[in-house]
Amino acid sequence: MRLDKFLKVSRIIKRRTLAKEVADQGRILINGDQAKASSNVKIGDTLTIRFGQKLVTARVNDLKETTKKEDASELYEIIKEERIEDSHLL
């Protein structure tokens, strides 16, 4: 599944266009490698996303084309969230 679609379906990022912008800005890593919006996401992958001064690391648990709002959080597991002081980390 494409990264931008996974982020939208899982509701980590609410809109697919915003997910694409974040990926294109180089703010997302998949298993430590720079990701594009079109990058393929697989079950077990680790996503590291920079939201402003926050770094969120999540593991992909499941892939679905669509999901209900209540079930979206089951698609991933947050491994860690950390504040970053230096914006040059990612």
Side-chain angles (χ1 to χ4, degrees):
M1 174 180 285
R2 283 177 56 111
L3 174 62
D4 57 348
K5 181 162 184 177
F6 174 77
L7 293 171
K8 178 198 175 286
V9 170
S10 66
R11 291 174 173 78
I12 292 174
I13 296 179
K14 301 287 190 258
R15 294 189 327 270
R16 190 167 177 176
T17 52
L18 183 57
K20 183 181 183 319
E21 287 174 20
V22 171
D24 291 346
Q25 291 170 359
R27 293 169 36 195
I28 303 177
L29 303 177
I30 298 177
N31 299 324
D33 296 324
Q34 195 77 38
K36 294 183 179 174
S38 61
S39 297
N40 202 28
V41 176
K42 302 179 295 297
I43 293 173
D45 281 351
T46 302
L47 306 178
T48 305
I49 308 165
R50 182 167 51 93
F51 294 104
Q53 294 300 310
K54 189 165 70 169
L55 205 57
V56 176
T57 304
R59 181 179 301 115
V60 178
N61 290 336
D62 199 1
L63 299 174
K64 293 184 180 174
E65 291 297 312
T66 60
T67 187
K68 293 180 181 173
K69 187 177 182 179
E70 307 82 55
D71 301 332
S73 63
E74 295 174 11
L75 298 180
Y76 64 94
E77 169 188 354
I78 299 290
I79 298 170
K80 68 179 176 182
E81 278 187 53
E82 55 189 326
R83 291 194 55 76
I84 51 176
E85 302 304 321
D86 187 3
S87 61
H88 301 298
L89 290 177
L90 195 61

